[in-house]
Amino acid sequence: MRYISTRGQAPARQFCDILLGGLAPDGGLYLPESYPAVSAADLAAWRALSYADLAFEILSRFIDDIPADDLRALCRKTYTASVYGNTRSGSDAAAITPVTWLEPGRGAGHEGGLGLLELSNGPTLAFKDMAMQLLGNLFEYVLDARGEQLNILGATSGDTGSAAEYAMRGKHGVRVFMLSPHGRMSAFQRAQMYSLQDENIHNIAVKGMFDDAQDIVKAVSNDHAFKAQYKIGAVNSINWGRVAAQIVYYFAGYFAATDSNDQCVDMAVPSGNFGNICAGHIARMMGLPIGRLICATNENDVLDEFFRTGVYRPRSSAETHVTSSPSMDISKASNFERFVFDLVGRDAAVVRALWAQVDAGGSFDLNATPYRARMGEFGFASGSSSHADRLATIRAIRDRYGVVVDTHTADGLKVAAQHRGVAPLLVLETAQAVKFEETLREALGEAPPRPAGFDHLEALPQRCEVMAADLAAVKDFIRQHARD
Ligand SMILES: *Cc1c(COP(=O)(O)O)cnc(C)c1O
């Protein structure tokens, strides 16, 4: 399987080559040259598999430069009930992504049912763990095989940084330097990251906002000499390995919600950078019978606007709202280009022309193009949700079903309700409520439940370097710690 760039001007590469990199050299995103098709026989055989073995079957269609036995072993090491054991009581950890049925629907095929596909049972209680844990094991494997080292540099406002740290902790060949805005994350999120004592994990709290931290990461990435000398890598949301790993749970969710492979399932996905739902789009392109992919946004409704109007208008950071579903507070959706590449019939020249406008700070409008009419073929529906919707949904779900959901999942449920049909509908549960305790208190008047083992998280000793938002200081820190 070879990977090509959405902008069509970079050489085709193998999976392991793009695993450790970010953007393609032409500024595009990598995608497989073609999507592997799943047959009726595949679906029939895969229905019975464990999550780890399902992951192997799917990923082996995308990865042919890792020997099959090694890839299977990596999947089995990653997807275990103990790594993904932070389930809500009554849920089956062995399923890795169990479904909580709010309304089970009719029969074993769950006709008309409404369920939560639990993706947040991993170590950091957010769906980022689903892909990041695999990435940690893949990075270690590839770096060991090549005798290489990698220093991962990132900026986080919460979920991504902690998922990366828990995935990379203790791995050989990998060090993590994670910048976070000093004093601006929730106490729970701070404790999750800063309590890690592993030597290869470095937390840097920057005195500034998330954007200041992000600017430092961008500046380091643009310093090609420094980047090469210190082997700086990233694990941001455009990483193809993350998207690939996320395809798996669309299949697992499909099997959990149906009893035969001719049924359709609708899936609603709380979306920010379009990484999660992009994996759903690819699963559907492979032939998984997903009826509709419902893209749910918060007040930052760039994606909802696109699916409703055919106009893609990224926002400036000044126009980006700070919301109570913060992991969806994006101004432009970094994975969206992958979908558009498919929408325009994989014509890289068209993608280049559209992104020439986007990269210059503009927008694009597909209404006067043949692509507007084609949007319907891809099964997308969309909607957006506000702070008031979020609070009302969290309360309604608790009152009706006795289930407490997080703010992002609430956005998914709110938008899903507008698109309910006869097929079973799964809302992807992207985080656990405890991560957003403040808003949950506002909605419910009490603290959300904590999974076992997280009781005293905030009381653990913390380790973190506090630093001015200064590029030179961060570079110095990396120089000192990159080659211990
Ligand atoms: C990252 C994240 C999202 C958004 O996912 P994308 O892949 O960026 O669309 C939604 N919910 C939670 C809890 C997240 O951490």
Side-chain angles (χ1 to χ4, degrees):
M1 170 68 72
R2 298 195 317 159
Y3 288 87
I4 55 172
S5 164
T6 49
R7 309 240 176 137
Q9 295 181 322
R13 311 283 304 273
Q14 293 284 105
F15 180 85
C16 291
D17 295 325
I18 63 168
L19 177 67
L20 304 177
L23 286 176
D26 62 359
L29 280 71
Y30 285 110
L31 270 179
E33 218 160 24
S34 63
Y35 295 126
V38 294
S39 64
D42 290 330
L43 288 179
W46 293 356
R47 187 173 272 280
L49 295 179
S50 68
Y51 191 95
D53 289 352
L54 177 65
F56 166 72
E57 290 298 335
I58 293 169
L59 291 169
S60 63
R61 305 284 170 106
F62 290 98
I63 304 174
D64 53 16
D65 53 344
I66 294 177
D69 287 345
D70 292 355
L71 184 59
R72 190 184 287 106
L74 288 166
C75 290
R76 287 186 177 169
K77 176 178 169 186
T78 303
Y79 295 111
T80 67
S82 64
V83 173
Y84 295 95
N86 298 312
T87 51
R88 140 178 317 120
S89 76
S91 286
D92 175 19
I96 308 299
T97 56
V99 173
T100 293
W101 287 104
L102 302 177
E103 296 175 14
R106 285 180 297 282
H110 297 286
E111 284 297 334
L114 174 66
L116 295 172
L117 181 62
E118 295 178 34
L119 305 180
S120 50
N121 297 336
T124 73
L125 312 180
F127 92 97
K128 306 281 191 304
D129 291 327
M130 291 306 305
M132 208 69 93
Q133 286 288 319
L134 180 73
L135 223 56
N137 288 324
L138 279 170
F139 273 30
E140 185 175 58
Y141 174 88
V142 172
L143 291 168
D144 275 356
R146 297 181 171 188
E148 288 176 11
Q149 304 269 317
L150 189 70
N151 294 301
I152 294 169
L153 175 65
T156 189
S157 53
D159 294 340
T160 306
S162 56
E165 293 186 352
Y166 280 76
M168 304 298 165
R169 61 189 297 203
K171 298 277 187 283
H172 12 113
V174 192
R175 285 176 211 86
V176 177
F177 297 87
M178 191 58 65
L179 275 50
S180 51
H182 183 52
R184 302 205 180 259
M185 294 189 299
S186 73
F188 187 89
Q189 287 177 315
R190 273 202 306 273
Q192 264 191 320
M193 289 180 56
Y194 303 164
S195 67
L196 288 180
Q197 302 295 334
D198 306 75
E199 273 174 38
N200 70 328
I201 303 296
H202 300 283
N203 282 300
I204 303 174
V206 171
K207 288 183 194 153
M209 305 289 281
F210 170 72
D211 284 336
D212 300 311
Q214 180 83 327
D215 286 346
I216 292 174
V217 172
K218 282 186 192 152
V220 173
S221 300
N222 288 330
D223 182 341
H224 297 288
F226 186 88
K227 197 177 159 193
Q229 185 180 355
Y230 291 100
K231 309 241 174 342
I232 304 293
V235 286
N236 46 26
S237 98
I238 55 144
N239 182 288
W240 165 253
R242 286 181 59 181
V243 177
Q246 289 167 184
I247 295 170
V248 178
Y249 53 70
Y250 285 86
F251 282 81
Y254 175 80
F255 292 135
T258 57
D259 63 350
S260 83
N261 296 328
D262 45 26
Q263 254 183 288
C264 261
V265 173
D266 294 334
M267 310 257 197
V269 189
S271 298
N273 270 318
F274 207 74
N276 192 349
I277 201 167
C278 185
H281 158 68
I282 294 171
R284 193 173 179 277
M285 296 292 278
M286 292 168 72
L288 184 70
I290 297 176
R292 281 170 313 161
L293 276 169
I294 301 161
C295 177
T297 71
N298 62 18
E299 291 88 334
N300 298 292
D301 59 353
V302 188
L303 293 167
D304 175 39
E305 181 175 275
F306 172 77
F307 286 110
R308 281 187 295 104
T309 66
V311 176
Y312 181 59
R313 189 175 63 83
R315 317 290 200 253
S316 65
S317 27
E319 275 179 293
T320 307
H321 304 274
V322 175
T323 77
S324 47
S325 45
S327 300
M328 290 155 54
D329 290 350
I330 55 99
S331 46
K332 57 177 194 275
S334 50
N335 276 286
F336 182 61
E337 186 172 334
R338 288 191 160 111
F339 166 68
V340 172
F341 184 63
D342 288 338
L343 175 65
V344 302
R346 301 200 136 211
D347 186 337
V350 174
V351 174
R352 281 202 301 278
L354 295 175
W355 259 268
Q357 292 164 251
V358 169
D359 290 343
S363 56
F364 62 73
D365 180 352
L366 298 184
N367 282 295
T369 73
Y371 311 118
R372 179 69 174 107
R374 245 181 254 167
M375 277 169 59
E377 292 166 28
F378 294 86
F380 281 91
S382 71
S384 68
S385 166
S386 67
H387 181 71
D389 292 331
R390 217 164 283 138
L391 298 184
T393 303
I394 290 168
R395 272 195 294 270
I397 297 293
R398 198 264 322 255
D399 293 347
R400 241 178 266 160
Y401 310 110
V403 171
V404 177
V405 294
D406 102 291
T407 53
H408 306 75
T409 309
D411 291 333
L413 281 158
K414 189 268 173 179
V415 174
Q418 300 165 339
H419 294 280
R420 253 183 109 172
V422 291
L425 172 55
L426 290 181
V427 175
L428 276 53
E429 181 171 46
T430 54
Q432 293 199 23
V434 66
K435 293 197 90 166
F436 306 97
E437 197 167 298
E438 200 180 307
T439 309
L440 265 291
R441 278 182 191 278
E442 188 182 342
L444 301 178
E446 62 187 19
R450 279 193 179 216
F454 289 83
D455 298 339
H456 306 294
L457 185 69
E458 290 93 330
L460 295 175
Q462 298 187 7
R463 175 176 152 261
C464 152
E465 195 77 22
V466 181
M467 224 179 259
D470 173 28
L471 175 62
V474 171
K475 277 180 160 173
D476 266 344
F477 185 85
I478 294 174
R479 273 190 205 99
Q480 283 160 24
H481 295 88
R483 290 180 177 177
D484 287 347

